[in-house]
Amino acid sequence: MKQFFLYGCMVLLPGLVQAQTLTLHNAVAIALQNSLGIQIAKNNVTAAGIYNSYGIAGGLPLVTASGADQEQSTSIKQEYANPANNKSSSNASSNSLSASLNASMLLYNGSRVQNARRRLGTIEQQNQQVLTSRGLTVAYNVMLRYYDIIRQQSYAGTLATSITVSRQKLDIVKAQQSAGVANNADLFQAQVDLNTQIQNLQAQQLVIDQAKTDLLTLLTLKPDSAVTIQDTILVDKNMELGTVLNAISSNPDITAADEQVAINEYLEKETAAQRYPSLSANAGYNFSHTKNAAGFSLLNQSYGPFAGVGVSIPIFNGSIYKKQQQVADINIKNARLQKDTLTLNYTSNTIKNWQAYNNNLQQLETAKDNYDLSGKLLALVLQRFELKQATIVDVKNAQESFENAGYLLVNVSFSAKAAELRLKWYAHNLQY
């Protein structure tokens, strides 16, 4: 069997001597670095962090400055009861200069600022959870593609082993024919079997190449890059259903849904705060300078600071704020229902994946035994065929049993690994 395995490796790796070996850790690291979706999620976290401030919430003072300088030309005609006071001028110049500095500070508005600040902080945390979820999903998809390639390569190794047997079978038939104890039918059948299995291996190599292309696309690398993967599928057999179910609450999707409930609660409080009085303090400095070339007043100038307190009391606006608060309360209920639905779906999917995981683990040992037994049977039948104690049909049947056992083994191993990875995804416990 060792020579079968070595031959399989030789068949699987032609032209890949110069290919770069890709490990699971490197594949996930590359995907996380190159993922466009993760880059978008990172930008969203950055934007949410920028918005998370008292200024955006409306809790910082507002300071504004304004100024104006106006030059104009005015014709004046003034008549009084005393004709001696009459004045008349044409195109008299006039200049008006004004400037002001204003500052206002919100003192109270029903805790709307505080709730807005908490909401912005929760939005930032939610975006961080979305980023974590994106990273978790990308890692899961990469690991699934990675182990799928190992599955396809393992099956190709089984086919390569069967090809080696077919070559030995063909050599035995040729030797028997030379000795006059074999006919052309056996020779033709042996050659047809060998050609068919070579064709099957070539078709399997196409499956491997396309699986690698899918993985490279997922890594955002050139799809035609040459990579080789040398690994095995090892299933973690120590997972417990209770541990996974208890960890679902830490899944970033569930956490993000829970934070959406909190965001809607803060929005409801902000909406309710609009029905409370708003108190603000105002202060500033005004300057005004007007100069006229003609007229009753030639110069008018005023300047000085000011300070005051303003209050705004909502009395009636068509019950708009009340209705907005009612809708905000409905949004809270919807967010809770969405979280409960998501939790229920994740719990259900966890149980189904646990059933698949447990079932595949039970099949795995039997599949390994069958694969070993079918390999021994194939070697034994080949020896009996060489001694003319078995027919070429017996060898072909033994080969088919060996190939089917190998196919079943790699598929059961992959299915168990896929279920394990999904369980760890739900538990937010993917390791690579």
Side-chain angles (χ1 to χ4, degrees), residues 236-247:
D236 183 0
K237 301 180 181 180
N238 299 319
M239 299 195 66
E240 297 180 358
L241 178 59
T243 303
V244 178
L245 290 175
N246 292 333

Side-chain angles (χ1 to χ4, degrees), residues 13 90 104 169 175 187 330 358 429:
L13 300 177
S90 180
S104 62
K169 180 176 65 176
L187 178 64
I330 293 174
N358 201 36
N429 190 31

Side-chain angles (χ1 to χ4, degrees), residues 241 345-358 419 423:
L241 178 59
N345 290 337
Y346 278 20
T347 302
S348 174
N349 291 334
T350 296
I351 293 175
K352 289 193 294 185
N353 276 274
W354 169 260
Q355 293 168 344
Y357 166 79
N358 201 36
L423 288 172

Side-chain angles (χ1 to χ4, degrees), residues 158-222:
T158 299
L159 292 176
T161 300
S162 187
I163 288 176
T164 301
V165 173
S166 293
R167 292 185 184 278
Q168 293 179 355
K169 180 176 65 176
L170 180 61
D171 292 340
I172 291 172
V173 172
K174 288 181 178 179
Q176 291 175 346
Q177 191 180 45
S178 299
V181 293
N183 54 39
N184 286 335
D186 288 343
L187 178 64
F188 296 156
Q189 185 63 57
Q191 187 63 59
V192 168
D193 291 344
L194 176 60
N195 292 341
T196 300
Q197 288 168 334
I198 290 176
Q199 186 177 8
N200 290 339
L201 181 59
Q202 291 172 341
Q204 183 63 21
Q205 187 60 49
L206 174 62
V207 174
I208 295 172
D209 292 339
Q210 291 180 339
K212 287 183 178 180
T213 299
D214 290 339
L215 177 61
L216 290 169
T217 302
L218 194 59
L219 302 183
T220 322
L221 297 176
K222 293 179 60 178

Side-chain angles (χ1 to χ4, degrees), residues 12 73 134 139 143 199 205 242 346 360 408:
L12 285 173
S73 178
R134 289 280 182 89
M143 296 172 77
Q199 186 177 8
Q205 187 60 49
Y346 278 20
N360 282 296
L408 180 62

Side-chain angles (χ1 to χ4, degrees), residues 218-292:
L218 194 59
L219 302 183
T220 322
L221 297 176
K222 293 179 60 178
D224 59 346
S225 301
V227 294
T228 178
I229 294 177
Q230 299 174 349
D231 209 335
T232 55
I233 299 178
L234 299 177
V235 182
D236 183 0
K237 301 180 181 180
N238 299 319
M239 299 195 66
E240 297 180 358
L241 178 59
T243 303
V244 178
L245 290 175
N246 292 333
I248 287 180
S249 59
S250 65
N251 185 280
D253 290 345
I254 302 296
T255 304
D258 188 52
E259 289 171 341
Q260 185 60 52
V261 175
I263 291 171
N264 288 356
E265 289 175 344
Y266 289 133
L267 283 172
E268 191 272 338
K269 293 178 181 179
E270 291 179 54
T271 304
Q274 296 181 101
R275 303 173 65 184
Y276 289 87
S278 178
L279 181 65
S280 61
N282 306 287
Y285 192 92
N286 289 328
F287 173 81
S288 176
H289 177 89
T290 303
K291 185 177 181 180
N292 301 311

Side-chain angles (χ1 to χ4, degrees), residues 24 27-28 136-152 211-212 214-215 218-219 229 233 353 413-423 425 430-432:
L24 178 61
V28 175
L136 200 65
T137 301
V138 167
Y140 166 77
N141 290 332
V142 169
M143 296 172 77
L144 205 61
R145 293 284 187 183
Y146 181 89
Y147 284 115
D148 180 55
I149 293 174
I150 297 174
R151 172 177 64 161
Q152 301 300 340
K212 287 183 178 180
D214 290 339
L215 177 61
L218 194 59
L219 302 183
I229 294 177
I233 299 178
N353 276 274
S413 299
F414 176 77
S415 297
K417 190 64 179 181
E420 173 207 324
L421 293 177
R422 195 60 180 174
L423 288 172
W425 185 90
L430 271 181
Q431 297 176 354
Y432 51 88

Side-chain angles (χ1 to χ4, degrees), residues 61-123:
L62 177 63
V63 180
T64 60
S66 62
D69 186 6
Q70 179 176 316
E71 184 77 24
Q72 65 181 12
S73 178
T74 306
S75 296
I76 300 175
K77 183 177 181 181
Q78 298 174 332
E79 295 182 354
Y80 297 94
N82 185 358
N85 296 329
N86 290 348
K87 293 183 179 180
S88 177
S89 63
S90 180
N91 297 325
S93 62
S94 175
N95 179 265
S96 178
L97 175 64
S98 64
S100 65
L101 178 65
N102 301 287
S104 62
M105 177 68 182
L106 184 64
L107 300 179
Y108 175 78
N109 68 339
S111 300
R112 187 179 183 186
V113 171
Q114 290 84 345
N115 288 308
R117 180 69 170 84
R118 297 188 188 103
R119 174 176 57 84
L120 293 172
T122 306
I123 290 176

